[in-house]
Amino acid sequence: MVDILVLGATGYTGRLITQYLYSHPQRSQFTLALGVRSKAKGESLKQSLALDDSVQLVQLDVTRYEQVEAAVKDAKVVINAVGPYWLWGTNVVRACAVHGKRYVDISGEPYFVRNIIDNFDYLSTKTGAIIVPSCGLDSLPADIAVYLSNRTLKQALGSQTHIGLSQSFYALRIKPSGGSLATLITMLEDVPRVRVEESFRDYALSPVPGAPSPAKRPTVRVPFSSPPQYAAPWQMGTTNRSIVQRTFGLYQYAYTNARALYGDRVGQEKEEKFRPLAYGPTFSYAEYLVPNGGGFLSAVLYSTMLAAAVGLLLITPIRWIVKKFFLIPAGDGPSPAELDKGFLKLTNYTVAAATPQLWARTTIYGEGDPGYRLTACEFPRSLDRPPDGEGRVYLRTPFVTADRFLCVGMVSESALALLLDDASLPVSARLGGILTPASAFGDVIVRRLEATGKVRFESEVVRDIEESRKDR
């Protein structure tokens, strides 16, 4: 039996994943196999990446369930890099759910996640399968940022603290790959409209409802910004919100129903374990993009252009022109030089519900394209060093040049967490089912990302002076 099976290894992101895992300092602790449609392409990939014979090739077609099932049955953890997931992902998740396997992917498709929840969540809890979609830029950073903000406030105010409005603000430079654009076209042309609308509703992926999300506005002022900065709606905000809301729902359901699920004695123990994780019934979430330094006019312009672009893509002839002249071929993506020019800064502000003058501010910094270079990291230096400082996590961020050995960090470290760090996974992972990055990995993924040296996290309590004045 192989430890990690990478599906889609010959694609753009799949190649980066393969490079990362093959060069990982824990390589001696796991075996690796690549799922490919063509053995010839697989051999060519091994030759181009100088992979030795310890890397196995598994020939399969993801549209043929019997082939997928045979491959999955012989693996412990599956990394699925074959998208669009609405078209090609269901068979893989089904096989993992049936056979109690562990699974991660880089999907950013709420309608796909809603579909696998409806079909495989209950089954996965019974077989012990841990299925974790959206472990790339969509939606691991957003999910972990809220997780850290919640932890920071609870460390400061007590585990009984409920959190209220949580907002994430992105500043980034990113170039899409062929697969990313294909996913957008698939949503518009292949996914039933009712499925898309259903999956984008508030708490569509959550097992319990929560407080309504903030109303959408063309511009929003960034909290604590001086001079004032303004943000516009972030095009991936609804996608990331759905994963963050599922984390909220998984925590809240387990906490409020612990005694009903486990009985009084065991339930009380579970309740105490889930109390520090639960966000509370007052939680709500939204995301925004800070364009070009955060000027008001820049935010208005970006918001207007985004609305216009979405409207144009709904017109069939316009989509034909985009596919004909602008669509990047599948398997292609940004060049190394373009990756190096990318960056990410995500700042999350989360307020304590009962203490509105106290907020947690969690910031994620990264150099390099956040979709690929940040997912593409240097291999880890250490996996044992804990976060520095009470209530804070600091991760160092060196510059990675194009000639350095690249790797895909977020999803690969997620897979390695499931394989090698089982004893350290949070209590929420023990439930099995369709989980989220925060509920499946918690602090484990923070420590692993710290060791890559590619991302830096900071989380601290800040005081809102205006709210403090209202109290006096």
Side-chain angles (χ1 to χ4, degrees):
M1 176 174 288
V2 69
D3 290 324
I4 297 178
L5 171 65
V6 180
L7 300 181
T10 58
Y12 180 78
T13 307
R15 290 195 299 267
L16 294 175
I17 293 171
T18 301
Q19 287 178 303
Y20 182 89
L21 292 172
Y22 185 72
S23 64
H24 199 279
Q26 292 181 302
R27 178 70 182 87
S28 62
Q29 299 181 38
F30 64 90
T31 54
L32 179 63
L34 310 178
V36 294
R37 292 187 64 183
S38 162
K39 278 287 183 73
K41 287 186 177 180
E43 292 293 348
S44 176
L45 174 67
K46 288 183 65 174
Q47 184 176 6
S48 66
L49 298 182
L51 309 181
D52 62 27
D53 290 337
S54 69
V55 179
Q56 306 171 39
L57 294 179
V58 179
Q59 188 171 6
L60 76 157
D61 182 342
V62 294
T63 65
R64 303 280 298 275
Y65 178 73
E66 66 278 6
Q67 294 183 16
V68 173
E69 183 179 38
V72 165
K73 284 171 66 175
D74 198 37
K76 294 180 181 178
V77 179
V78 176
I79 302 178
N80 188 10
V82 183
Y85 291 86
W86 176 262
L87 298 178
W88 318 121
T90 303
N91 278 342
V92 183
V93 174
R94 175 188 171 191
C96 289
V98 167
H99 295 285
K101 302 298 182 177
R102 301 185 171 193
Y103 166 100
V104 294
D105 69 30
I106 51 172
S107 65
E109 305 172 32
Y111 39 88
F112 166 73
V113 179
R114 174 63 184 265
N115 185 55
I116 64 175
I117 290 171
D118 290 345
N119 288 288
F120 307 119
D121 183 51
Y122 179 77
L123 173 62
S124 296
T125 64
K126 296 305 178 183
T127 63
I130 298 178
I131 312 294
V132 195
S134 305
C135 293
L137 177 61
D138 311 315
S139 303
L140 189 149
D143 203 26
I144 293 299
V146 178
Y147 168 85
L148 290 175
S149 287
N150 175 62
R151 190 183 72 177
T152 296
L153 285 173
K154 282 181 163 59
Q155 287 177 338
L157 301 174
S159 64
Q160 77 287 348
T161 301
H162 291 169
I163 60 177
L165 176 62
S166 181
Q167 302 172 92
S168 292
F169 295 85
Y170 287 78
L172 77 170
R173 182 184 296 126
I174 184 173
K175 293 202 69 173
S177 69
S180 300
L181 296 178
T183 295
L184 175 61
I185 298 299
T186 296
M187 182 187 74
L188 295 173
E189 297 189 343
D190 296 317
V191 184
R193 180 70 60 85
V194 66
R195 284 285 193 172
V196 175
E197 293 174 351
E198 181 182 67
S199 66
F200 283 131
R201 289 202 317 262
D202 236 7
Y203 300 94
L205 305 186
S206 172
V208 298
S213 297
K216 292 187 177 180
R217 294 184 290 168
T219 61
V220 174
R221 180 174 173 175
V222 179
F224 301 95
S225 58
S226 181
Q229 288 189 317
Y230 295 88
W234 164 229
Q235 59 263 37
M236 296 307 299
T238 306
T239 296
N240 293 335
R241 186 190 70 183
S242 67
I243 295 296
V244 171
Q245 288 178 340
R246 180 158 180 80
T247 297
F248 152 82
L250 291 171
Y251 289 158
Q252 201 65 23
Y253 179 82
Y255 172 62
T256 57
N257 294 283
R259 301 193 187 207
L261 292 171
Y262 300 102
D264 284 342
R265 185 178 63 82
V266 177
Q268 185 176 1
E269 296 175 1
K270 296 288 186 181
E271 197 175 82
E272 290 304 312
K273 290 181 179 179
F274 276 102
R275 187 193 306 276
L277 298 174
Y279 296 168
T282 53
F283 171 76
S284 63
Y285 184 73
E287 284 193 354
Y288 308 95
L289 177 74
V290 182
N292 298 327
F296 179 77
L297 291 180
S298 295
V300 171
L301 180 61
Y302 183 88
S303 181
T304 303
M305 292 177 62
L306 177 62
V310 171
L312 288 173
L313 285 173
L314 295 176
I315 302 173
T316 302
I318 298 295
R319 286 202 306 275
W320 181 88
I321 293 172
V322 170
K323 290 189 292 183
K324 182 72 173 178
F325 299 104
F326 298 102
L327 194 63
I328 302 171
D332 288 351
S335 68
E338 290 171 327
L339 293 177
D340 285 335
K341 294 177 182 177
F343 67 89
L344 166 70
K345 179 183 178 183
L346 184 161
T347 306
N348 173 266
Y349 297 93
T350 298
V351 66
T355 315
Q357 71 271 22
L358 291 182
W359 295 63
R361 178 171 58 201
T362 297
T363 308
I364 303 177
Y365 303 92
E367 296 178 13
D369 187 290
Y372 302 99
R373 184 69 86 190
L374 282 191
T375 339
C377 313
E378 289 182 292
F379 48 76
R381 297 184 306 272
S382 169
L383 296 174
D384 303 316
R385 179 163 32 85
D388 300 323
E390 185 68 24
R392 292 173 179 252
V393 183
Y394 292 106
L395 285 73
R396 296 171 178 79
T397 313
F399 185 76
V400 180
T401 57
D403 61 340
R404 297 299 295 272
F405 192 84
L406 303 182
C407 54
V408 173
M410 291 180 189
V411 70
S412 298
E413 292 298 340
S414 296
L416 289 168
L418 292 176
L419 179 69
L420 301 177
D421 299 328
D422 182 81
S424 300
L425 295 178
V427 61
S428 47
R430 306 299 169 192
L431 303 174
I434 311 300
L435 302 182
T436 60
S439 61
F441 311 124
D443 292 339
V444 172
I445 196 63
V446 173
R447 289 195 295 267
R448 281 191 165 273
L449 290 177
E450 175 188 22
T452 68
K454 194 68 182 95
V455 186
R456 186 174 85 248
F457 292 81
E458 298 176 3
S459 190
E460 61 184 343
V461 173
V462 292
R463 180 175 290 273
D464 188 328
I465 297 176
E466 294 300 320
E467 289 293 340
S468 298
R469 288 173 179 166
K470 293 178 185 178
D471 292 341
R472 292 198 291 269

